[in-house]
Amino acid sequence: MREALIRENEAQQPTPVIAVGEDDLEAVLAGLGQPAADWAKRNGFQAAAGSSLLVPAVNEAGSALLFAAGENGSAQPFAFGGLVASLPAGDYAFADGFPDPEFAVLGFALSSYRFEKYRKNGAARARLVVPATVDLARVDAILKGVQIARDLINIPANDLGPQELAAEIRSLFVENGGTGEIIEGEALLERGFPMVHAVGRASSREPRLADFTWGPEDAPKVTLVGKGVIFDTGGLDIKPSSAMLLMKKDMGGAANVLGLAAMIMAAELPVRLRVIVPCVENAISGSAFRPGDILPSRKGLTVEIGNTDAEGRLVLADALALADEEEPDLLVDMATLTGAARVALGPDLPPFFTDDEDLAEELALVSEASADPLWRLPLWQPYMKYLDSKIADINHINTTGAGFAGSITAALFLSRFVEKAQSWVHFDIYGWTPMDKPGKPAGGEAQGIRCLFDLISDRYSDKK
């Protein structure tokens, strides 16, 4: 993605990109010359919002790109990025007055993403000159994080197991001067992570928990917890084949947490960052945990297993309990947790849950400002009754509420493992874009982390 952006001194006869509207189209075409006007007429170009046309022009490049952004800028901030796939290779530069240049730059770069680990695409691509008014260092930090999240989700489980995912976390932190540890296999039981061990023990690839920190010890504590289930068969409550096709993305929470961590470290935000990721495979063998089992947890609560296909909340619960012990200023968890969230809000709008009203309001505002859509769902306490168990402290799924409110009850289950953090928020993300959209190529996706990066930057950038 970053390769799609260049500075002015790197450009070779860039094609100017001119924002046009219905009112000024005629004047713009007159300024470009009669061939441009004739070509626009021949193509029926009338500057409808979001449309574009490459026209001949009397300039060094011999052409100009007309982009109709609409009266007040595009209703889709990343709409300009939608042109990437159709633009001829070459360099492009915004003409004076182009609206929302930072969104346009970011959308262009995000749309330029290609996953090329298994199939190379050597075709030349369009490059965009970044205006001097755009903070390229900030854009770089964002792109690095999004690249990490998308790449990790797109890698299949045969190449990204628990060991490889934990190694990626270690590598990123070591690269940035962070420290930490990876707890493996039976050591998880010795160190107090029984549910992480139970979920991952059936796989031939040992479960792990990665725990890494970065930044000054006396800085505000920001802790990120991500669901790192590298593949989910459903366990003994096995999924049908059709439901397994995208289960390589079940570590999307971990991928997004790691992407956000990369942004924070690249921007050198003044926080004490901690990332905790349980890395497991929910497989099937003679040692698989079973429906009806009762598991101990790090928190001390006993958990009755209602369905082995609801494994993500189990590993998150142990990880959240660990994170909560440190009483962080902000505790964030991200997980591809429930199909119920997709039914409610679809693939593009992840819900978040928090009982911190100020944080909820801030997330809503920053989400809109960053064009990183999120929607708050309630931690509706009366539904906690749905998690009652007759033989354990809690059941981890809704067994008494006719299966309703799946995303809410999952969040309520997690809330039982957080009590000391000053502020906690849970994101139930999809981590995947089903079809190409401006700024969002089909495949693994970063969701919520651009918003969180802006929020954390705003909250802590002035605090030392």
Side-chain angles (χ1 to χ4, degrees), residues 73-88:
S74 174
Q76 296 186 44
F78 297 145
F80 181 69
L83 305 185
V84 168
S86 60
L87 284 180

Side-chain angles (χ1 to χ4, degrees), residues 234-237 288-294 304-309 396:
L236 292 176
D237 287 307
F289 74 117
R290 295 163 288 265
D293 281 358
I294 296 178
E304 182 181 7
I305 302 304
N307 189 315
T308 63
D309 195 18
H396 78 308

Side-chain angles (χ1 to χ4, degrees), residues 221-225 274 299 319-333 354-356 359 414-426 459-460:
K221 295 182 177 66
V222 174
T223 301
L224 313 177
V225 175
R274 186 180 188 186
K299 186 74 173 176
L320 282 170
L322 171 65
D324 191 57
E325 292 165 9
E326 194 181 34
E327 302 181 19
D329 296 85
L330 177 62
L331 174 55
V332 177
D333 81 75
T354 182
D355 57 7
D356 184 330
L359 176 61
L414 294 178
S415 73
R416 292 289 301 271
F417 297 84
V418 179
E419 59 180 349
K420 298 178 182 178
Q422 293 186 32
S423 189
W424 166 66
V425 58
H426 159 63
R459 276 195 167 197
Y460 304 113

Side-chain angles (χ1 to χ4, degrees), residues 49-66:
S51 63
S52 64
L53 183 67
L54 194 63
V55 299
V58 182
N59 56 30
E60 285 188 355
S63 62
L65 178 63
L66 305 181

Side-chain angles (χ1 to χ4, degrees), residues 97-433:
F98 196 91
D100 296 327
E102 185 165 335
F103 269 132
V105 166
L106 192 55
F108 188 91
L110 291 172
S111 297
S112 299
Y113 173 82
R114 296 175 181 173
F115 182 62
E116 298 185 315
K117 182 176 175 64
Y118 302 98
R119 187 177 68 178
K120 302 298 181 184
N121 182 347
R125 62 181 70 189
R127 303 190 303 175
L128 181 65
V129 176
V130 179
T133 56
V134 172
D135 185 350
L136 186 54
R138 179 180 177 278
V139 171
D140 279 345
I142 292 171
L143 293 179
K144 180 176 182 179
V146 172
Q147 179 96 36
I148 287 172
R150 288 177 173 176
D151 281 352
L152 286 175
I153 295 171
N154 283 328
I155 297 173
N158 60 312
D159 282 344
L160 188 75
Q163 179 178 356
E164 289 78 14
L165 179 57
E168 289 286 344
I169 299 168
R170 169 183 279 153
S171 177
L172 179 65
F173 274 81
V174 169
E175 174 188 327
N176 287 277
T179 59
E181 64 174 337
I182 298 172
I183 305 168
E184 305 177 12
E186 296 300 308
L188 290 166
L189 295 174
E190 300 166 10
R191 297 284 296 275
F193 303 101
M195 292 202 293
V196 177
H197 182 270
V199 171
R201 72 192 182 201
S203 173
S204 59
R205 299 185 282 186
E206 284 191 320
R208 289 162 168 76
L209 184 132
D211 182 5
F212 284 82
T213 55
W214 170 91
E217 291 186 10
D218 59 349
K221 295 182 177 66
V222 174
T223 301
L224 313 177
V225 175
K227 174 185 170 183
V229 178
I230 60 96
F231 193 85
D232 180 20
T233 64
L236 292 176
D237 287 307
I238 191 169
K239 295 177 183 289
S241 174
S242 59
M244 281 195 219
L245 290 176
L246 275 183
M247 280 302 100
K248 70 175 184 179
K249 77 171 185 64
D250 213 23
M251 37 63 64
N256 274 270
V257 158
L258 197 55
L260 176 56
M263 294 179 189
I264 291 170
M265 291 188 283
E268 298 183 346
L269 297 186
V271 297
R272 177 65 168 177
L273 174 67
R274 186 180 188 186
V275 168
I276 302 172
V277 175
C279 307
V280 302
E281 178 175 23
N282 189 20
I284 300 173
S285 73
S287 61
F289 74 117
R290 295 163 288 265
D293 281 358
I294 296 178
L295 302 180
S297 69
R298 182 177 184 85
K299 186 74 173 176
L301 297 173
T302 54
V303 179
E304 182 181 7
I305 302 304
N307 189 315
T308 63
D309 195 18
E311 83 299 328
R313 66 198 71 182
L314 299 174
V315 298
L316 281 176
D318 271 355
L320 282 170
L322 171 65
D324 191 57
E325 292 165 9
E326 194 181 34
E327 302 181 19
D329 296 85
L330 177 62
L331 174 55
V332 177
D333 81 75
M334 306 189 84
T336 52
L337 205 60
T338 69
R342 313 289 81 78
V343 172
L345 298 176
D348 299 336
L349 187 59
F352 69 90
F353 300 81
T354 182
D355 57 7
D356 184 330
E357 297 299 325
D358 291 337
L359 176 61
E361 182 178 359
E362 193 174 356
L363 279 166
L365 292 172
V366 178
S367 167
E368 184 175 358
S370 62
D372 196 4
L374 299 168
W375 196 265
R376 187 186 187 188
L377 289 182
L379 284 166
W380 186 247
Q381 291 302 315
Y383 288 164
M384 188 72 82
K385 187 72 175 174
Y386 290 167
L387 299 174
D388 283 354
S389 168
K390 295 181 179 179
I391 55 176
D393 292 323
I394 192 172
N395 198 302
H396 78 308
I397 67 165
N398 176 356
T399 59
T400 59
F404 295 134
S407 186
I408 295 174
T409 51
L412 287 170
F413 174 79
L414 294 178
S415 73
R416 292 289 301 271
F417 297 84
V418 179
E419 59 180 349
K420 298 178 182 178
Q422 293 186 32
S423 189
W424 166 66
V425 58
H426 159 63
F427 292 83
D428 191 339
I429 66 172
Y430 190 50
W432 192 264
T433 297

Side-chain angles (χ1 to χ4, degrees), residues 25 29 34-46 53 55:
L25 175 60
L29 289 172
Q34 192 61 43
D38 291 343
W39 187 250
K41 182 177 181 180
R42 191 172 299 172
N43 283 273
F45 183 74
Q46 297 181 348
L53 183 67
V55 299

